[in-house]
Amino acid sequence: MLRHAGKILARSRFAIAFTGAGISAESGVPTFRGFNGLWRKYRPEELATPEAFQRNPKLVWDFYRWRMKKILDAEPNPAHYALAELEKIGVLKAVITQNVDDLHREAGTENLIELHGNIFRVKCTSCSYRENLKESGRIQNFVKSKDLPKCPRCGSLLRPDVVWFGEALPREALERAFRLAEKADVVLVVGTSGVVYPAAYIPYIVKERDGKVIEVNVEKSGITPIADVFLRGKAGEILPKLVELVRGSK
Ligand code: OAD
Ligand code: ZN
């Protein structure tokens, strides 16, 4: 199976990856669904919707600051590095991620599309102000603070620059992702339950155009029914092996 997947990737013309929370699980970032998933302990509608933020911005900000801290402590794992490596050797053309944790970027992936935003960015609820807290160097103080964060330009409340339930995905990112999927002949799907749309259309678009779907997951997902190769196991263990096979058969 692994060998077969390696061959498909090595022979591909335009391969892309589509990733979800499972790729960061081995870095210690909690996933959303499944065993130990965040949505088992917390209710998404109380924490990750625009209505929840209007009702109780403090609760939502406490939750996001807690996640920011967890993610700040996390480092990319061998799965993130493996995808960066596949890009470097010219096999992978882009990584489309549903994750907001920045770990693909830290691992060195260059052509990265973040469909659900980035947890280290904030944006104003009234004006067009946006800030990347890692780049501005404010992140350490920001996570420690207990106050509601305010816009330095207009004084309104800041919010995380992530996509909440019921919100549209950033248009440019989604269009780029769809264009890549239309062009791709292989998609490597890693660590996603494949149940959140429109993101989950990505592998279906590739499949519809006769592209191959390779999936890496510890269990079956919403994508498994269309997978040509399903590799069961941890992303951090399987992806480095896959890179070796791709190198070997190129
Ligand atoms: P989920 O939490 O729904 O799914 C995580 C997937 O990773 C599951 O299929 C697990 O089986 C798999 N998994 C766990 N550990 C793994 C490992 N070590 N190696 C490989 N696979 C592993 O996360 P997503 O599919 O990313 O949206 O969730 C999609 C969206 O739902 C998220 O982007 C988020 C959430 O609500 C927004 O915040 C908009
Ligand atoms: Zn503002």
Side-chain angles (χ1 to χ4, degrees):
M1 282 304 240
L2 200 61
R3 225 167 259 282
H4 185 44
K7 281 210 183 99
I8 292 175
L9 275 168
R11 289 176 191 161
S12 68
R13 168 185 53 77
F14 197 93
I16 59 172
F18 175 60
T19 68
I23 195 166
S24 298
E26 290 158 81
S27 294
V29 182
T31 61
F32 296 97
R33 296 171 189 81
F35 177 73
N36 255 340
L38 284 174
W39 298 153
R40 285 215 166 174
K41 282 174 259 168
Y42 308 97
R43 290 157 59 90
E45 59 274 20
E46 280 168 18
L47 291 167
T49 65
E51 294 75 25
F53 190 65
Q54 272 196 328
R55 209 164 43 226
N56 196 344
K58 179 88 176 73
L59 179 74
V60 174
W61 261 120
D62 284 348
F63 173 66
Y64 274 89
R65 279 198 167 109
W66 171 77
R67 280 186 65 203
M68 274 180 176
K69 261 188 245 161
K70 266 201 124 50
I71 293 172
L72 262 185
D73 290 340
E75 281 173 12
N77 68 58
H80 298 102
Y81 288 115
L83 293 188
E85 186 62 22
L86 283 177
E87 184 183 37
K88 227 164 263 147
I89 63 177
V91 170
L92 212 56
K93 303 299 190 284
V95 174
I96 301 167
T97 190
Q98 300 164 85
N99 299 345
V100 296
D101 60 27
D102 230 17
L103 293 178
H104 284 299
R105 188 172 285 112
E106 277 189 34
T109 287
E110 279 176 18
N111 197 12
L112 177 66
I113 292 132
E114 296 174 311
L115 288 179
H116 291 162
N118 185 299
I119 197 160
F120 296 115
R121 287 197 317 249
V122 291
K123 62 180 181 187
C124 180
T125 51
S126 316
C127 76
S128 61
Y129 183 81
R130 278 165 192 263
E131 179 179 345
N132 183 318
L133 296 165
K134 261 189 183 171
E135 285 168 12
S136 67
R138 288 213 303 142
I139 186 68
Q140 294 297 343
N141 285 337
F142 191 93
V143 292
K144 273 187 230 138
S145 168
K146 298 251 178 305
D147 302 332
L148 281 173
K150 298 285 167 62
C151 174
R153 197 184 288 163
C154 77
S156 302
L157 197 56
L158 289 175
R159 59 161 280 180
D161 192 2
V162 299
V163 175
W164 282 330
F165 287 97
E167 289 187 314
L169 273 62
R171 210 176 118 182
E172 205 204 304
L174 188 62
E175 283 174 2
R176 254 177 85 205
F178 280 176
R179 272 199 304 272
L180 287 163
E182 284 164 7
K183 215 168 146 187
D185 59 346
V186 177
V187 60
L188 178 58
V189 180
V190 187
T192 178
S193 53
V195 295
V196 174
Y197 286 86
Y201 282 127
I202 303 292
Y204 283 86
I205 294 171
V206 179
K207 182 77 177 185
E208 257 171 28
R209 298 179 170 235
D210 291 329
K212 295 268 187 260
V213 178
I214 302 170
E215 183 179 29
V216 181
N217 201 310
V218 290
E219 56 187 50
K220 288 188 179 165
S221 77
I223 311 297
T224 315
I226 60 159
D228 296 279
V229 185
F230 178 71
L231 305 169
R232 187 189 293 267
K234 291 185 174 177
E237 290 169 11
I238 292 185
L239 290 185
K241 287 187 200 156
L242 201 54
V243 175
E244 283 318 303
L245 286 167
V246 173
R247 280 182 186 289
S249 57
K250 262 193 94 71

